[in-house]
Amino acid sequence: MPAKVANDGVTKELKLDNRLSSVLDLDAPRATANRDALLALLAALRAEEETIRHGGGAAAVEAQHKKGRLTVRERLKLLLDEGAEFLELGLWAAHGMYTEYGGAPSAGVVTGLGRVSGRLCMIVANDATVKAGAFFPMTAKKVLRAQTIAIQNRIPTLYLVDSAGVFLPLQEDVFPDTDDFGRIFRNNAVMSAMGIPQITAIMGMCVAGGAYLPVMTDTVLMTEGSGLFLAGPSLVQAAIGQKTGAEELGGAAMHAEISGTVDFKEPNDHMCLARLRSLVAKMGQRPPASPEAEPFRRRPCDAQTDAPKYPAEDVYALLNPAPGASNVYNMREIIARIVDRSEFDEYKEEFGRTVLCGYAWIGGHAVGIVANQKINQNQTVAMGPAAGDMRIEVGGVIYTEGAQKAARFIMDCNQNLVPLIFLHDVNGFMVGKDAEWSGIIRAGAKMVTAVSTSVVPKIAVIVGGSFGAGHYAMCGKAYDPRFLFAWPTARYAVMSGTSAALTLAEVRTRQMERNGKTLSQAEKTALVDEIRADYDAQADPRYGAARLWIDAIIDPAKTRDVLIAALEACSLNPDVPRFNPGVLQT
């Protein structure tokens, strides 16, 4: 609302005009072509995602049903609040991997954020239709990523266990390291010590080392017909010669009546999930000492009056999704479609113009936004060998001034406890003599330091390219974003496919020439095309999501909704360490 102030007896009304305007021509040929291409890509991705959600296929689903058990997706439907959105994380995990073993769709486990009895929870649920829910290397890493998100944001975590344990042919890649299977149980203990509630429902097999997971959580439920044991009947007989049945060895009745390991014995999946919902409904929450103690600013948000002033679907027209496409657009068009009321307080608007910084609200959450600007800029150089001249700054490239601005802005957000949103479309830092003379390395180090030492929640969205050190400076995966999402248009690599192909082809050509072989122009072209195809495949967001470098590939029009869900999760953790940026290059 406008502020009213008295000045010399005269009442004045102050109203800030900080609403972003849009000049996007949706009927322009390029916009139409971009929209058509992106919608086609989205349709293909959705079809692939639907296949992934089918898990091990129809025969495996039928086998699960014959055991009297629900599939993982059926369990989630009963567990989650009716009509509640489920923000699935890691859906693409292991995509295209383990083909020699028949693949492992979604790494055989479903993870994500959803509401259970009104409470936002992290859910980790084995998919027994995929190799009996066995843990592949990426399965362990996916569960660890879910636990990391829960730890960072203090999210109650529910485990639906139905797993045969480690996938033995790959045990050396699952068992021993700090980011492997055993770390899951270590995290169970750490989460409990931090006061993060954890409840496990055993709804199938839970064997070998995996048996520790439920017992190291706060509360354990188990359905009749399930099994919980360190070694199954066959292994027991082989190890000590003892013959025993699965139910006698580690069935629900035994653990409820004799070992006392489980807290609730339930007859079937339906009753177990009902009990789980009942327990979550009674779960308490440690509030801040007072409303004033909440570290991050929030305000009520009305879905109608606070919505962006432009349709979210407009963003389909901005980017050409083809690999190597040159996209020049105004990043403010995207910001205008994700922030409340399209209002944006831009920081140092006239300085370092290839990096946009500013404050906004998203779903009632105060945020700071750092984004790469993709429009080429005319900028006056204030220092260096070309002082006083005009230069054309290439959009998506971070120059010295932009790095300095972003570093200062990130520090301000930490000083004022404002969560940070990073919108990537970055080629990297500027190179060349002028850039080096201007201190680009020093400025880049300053920005990377600010990102590294930032203590407020950080969320990254890769909109277009995210290449080289620019990826690091924009809070890439190595810099602990609470969440990292990508549009289907994302490209994620050291450099673009074209640049890499030309560089590597030149190196290979010289190697061949040293060995006495001269390539024709046609052979050189074929070599470049081959390298570019391989590089573009690795830069595809599906490749990164398969390896959990990306938490989710999202529909561009859903960016605001996804960010609101992520910010809601981040707000659950009120503890913010003291900001100490260390030694900065000055």
Side-chain angles (χ1 to χ4, degrees):
M1 293 185 60
K4 294 184 178 181
V5 298
N7 184 20
D8 296 328
V10 179
T11 299
K12 294 183 178 180
E13 190 173 83
L14 301 180
K15 186 174 182 180
L16 177 65
D17 184 13
N18 60 350
R19 184 181 300 178
L20 292 168
S21 59
S22 175
V23 295
L24 183 58
D25 182 0
L26 296 173
D27 297 321
R30 174 179 287 184
T32 301
N34 288 347
R35 181 170 55 249
D36 291 346
L38 184 50
L39 288 174
L41 177 57
L42 272 174
L45 287 173
R46 286 168 180 151
E48 282 190 86
E49 289 176 346
E50 191 60 29
T51 299
I52 292 171
R53 290 190 178 98
H54 287 155
V61 170
E62 184 179 358
Q64 182 78 348
H65 287 162
K66 283 183 177 178
K67 296 173 185 175
R69 299 172 188 162
L70 300 173
T71 66
V72 66
R73 301 282 172 182
E74 291 167 342
R75 288 167 176 169
L76 287 176
K77 188 175 181 180
L78 291 173
L79 175 65
L80 295 168
D81 292 352
E82 188 173 354
E85 290 289 332
F86 179 58
L87 179 56
E88 186 162 355
L89 305 172
L91 172 65
W92 290 86
H95 178 65
M97 301 171 69
Y98 312 125
T99 54
E100 65 273 34
Y101 301 106
S106 209
V109 63
V110 178
T111 62
L113 294 173
R115 291 200 175 274
V116 177
S117 299
R119 188 73 177 270
L120 185 65
C121 296
M122 173 63 75
I123 298 166
V124 179
N126 298 117
D127 185 350
T129 71
V130 178
K131 302 294 187 296
F135 273 68
F136 286 75
M138 290 308 301
T139 315
K141 288 175 173 53
K142 182 171 174 178
V143 174
L144 289 172
R145 176 59 182 157
Q147 288 181 321
T148 298
I149 292 171
I151 289 170
Q152 289 177 330
N153 301 292
R154 308 295 192 269
I155 307 172
T157 302
L158 311 179
Y159 304 90
L160 307 185
V161 176
D162 192 348
S163 171
V166 168
F167 186 67
L168 292 179
L170 295 174
Q171 66 85 24
E172 76 275 16
D173 297 320
V174 182
F175 172 68
D177 213 342
T178 54
D179 60 347
D180 287 339
F181 195 50
R183 188 78 171 186
I184 295 171
F185 318 134
R186 176 263 184 194
N187 283 352
N188 290 141
V190 169
M191 292 167 71
S192 185
M194 294 174 67
I196 300 172
Q198 298 175 90
I199 304 178
T200 299
I202 302 170
M203 310 175 80
M205 290 299 103
C206 184
V207 301
Y212 284 110
L213 185 151
V215 184
M216 295 189 72
T217 61
D218 306 330
T219 307
V220 184
L221 293 73
M222 190 173 181
T223 59
E224 294 177 6
S226 296
L228 172 64
F229 26 65
L230 289 180
S234 298
L235 184 55
V236 168
Q237 184 174 356
I240 64 173
Q242 184 181 75
K243 292 184 178 181
T244 181
E247 184 64 28
E248 181 185 9
L249 180 65
M254 190 283 289
H255 281 301
E257 301 169 18
I258 299 174
S259 77
T261 301
V262 302
D263 304 306
F264 296 90
K265 183 187 73 171
E266 305 298 339
N268 53 44
D269 284 7
H270 289 80
M271 292 299 99
C272 186
L273 293 167
R275 178 80 69 182
L276 184 53
R277 285 183 53 81
S278 179
L279 294 173
V280 173
K282 300 172 181 67
M283 194 183 287
Q285 187 171 1
R286 293 180 177 84
S290 66
E292 292 75 21
E294 293 187 26
F296 310 120
R297 288 287 294 172
R298 297 180 66 176
R299 69 179 186 184
C301 180
D302 183 87
Q304 300 299 320
T305 60
D306 291 316
K309 299 305 177 186
Y310 310 102
E313 292 77 10
D314 290 353
V315 297
Y316 293 148
L318 284 173
L319 279 77
N320 179 351
S326 178
N327 286 303
V328 177
Y329 62 93
N330 192 338
M331 182 64 81
R332 294 184 186 89
E333 297 283 2
I334 293 176
I335 296 172
R337 288 161 176 82
I338 62 175
V339 302
D340 294 0
R341 303 183 183 183
S342 301
E343 294 173 350
F344 185 57
D345 296 315
E346 188 162 349
Y347 178 87
K348 294 185 185 289
E349 182 178 353
E350 306 300 323
F351 183 71
R353 298 183 187 186
T354 63
V355 179
L356 300 180
C357 300
Y359 299 98
W361 300 92
I362 297 180
H365 299 264
V367 298
I369 296 174
V370 180
N372 305 114
Q373 177 59 294
K374 291 294 290 186
I375 295 177
N376 295 340
Q377 304 281 342
N378 286 318
Q379 177 71 41
T380 302
V381 178
M383 57 190 297
D389 292 343
M390 295 293 290
R391 72 180 178 206
I392 300 295
E393 293 184 336
V394 179
V397 175
I398 302 176
Y399 291 78
T400 298
E401 296 86 354
Q404 291 173 338
K405 175 173 80 171
R408 170 64 184 273
F409 179 74
I410 291 166
M411 293 172 70
D412 282 358
C413 286
N414 277 271
Q415 180 74 7
N416 296 315
L417 296 177
V418 180
L420 284 158
I421 309 292
F422 293 84
L423 302 178
H424 294 222
D425 198 344
V426 58
N427 296 329
F429 287 92
M430 189 58 187
V431 298
K433 186 176 74 173
D434 289 352
E436 298 293 356
W437 284 28
S438 73
I440 186 65
I441 298 175
R442 186 173 69 249
K446 193 182 301 183
M447 183 176 176
V448 171
T449 296
V451 171
S452 302
T453 58
S454 176
V455 295
V456 296
K458 297 172 291 190
I459 302 170
V461 181
I462 303 177
V463 171
S466 190
F467 299 119
H471 172 75
Y472 302 152
M474 290 294 294
C475 194
K477 185 64 181 294
Y479 293 81
D480 292 330
R482 299 279 184 96
F483 298 91
L484 195 155
F485 304 109
W487 284 13
T489 49
R491 290 293 177 269
Y492 190 0
V494 171
M495 62 180 73
S496 68
T498 298
S499 298
L502 292 172
T503 302
L504 292 173
E506 181 65 24
V507 171
R508 290 189 193 178
T509 299
R510 290 179 180 177
Q511 289 173 340
M512 292 178 181
E513 289 174 347
R514 283 196 295 269
N515 293 327
K517 182 178 181 180
T518 302
L519 296 181
S520 67
Q521 186 57 47
E523 289 174 322
K524 289 181 180 179
T525 300
L527 180 60
V528 169
D529 290 343
E530 178 187 348
I531 296 172
R532 181 190 291 117
D534 288 343
Y535 212 86
D536 284 341
Q538 292 180 14
D540 188 287
R542 286 166 288 194
Y543 188 92
R547 288 149 183 82
L548 297 176
W549 305 337
I550 294 166
D551 291 315
I553 301 172
I554 63 173
D555 182 336
K558 300 291 186 182
T559 303
R560 173 178 166 85
D561 296 335
V562 170
L563 288 175
I564 290 173
L567 287 164
E568 183 71 24
C570 292
S571 70
L572 296 179
N573 180 5
D575 298 324
V576 184
R578 178 177 174 270
F579 178 51
N580 180 9
V583 177
L584 284 173
Q585 287 282 348
T586 56

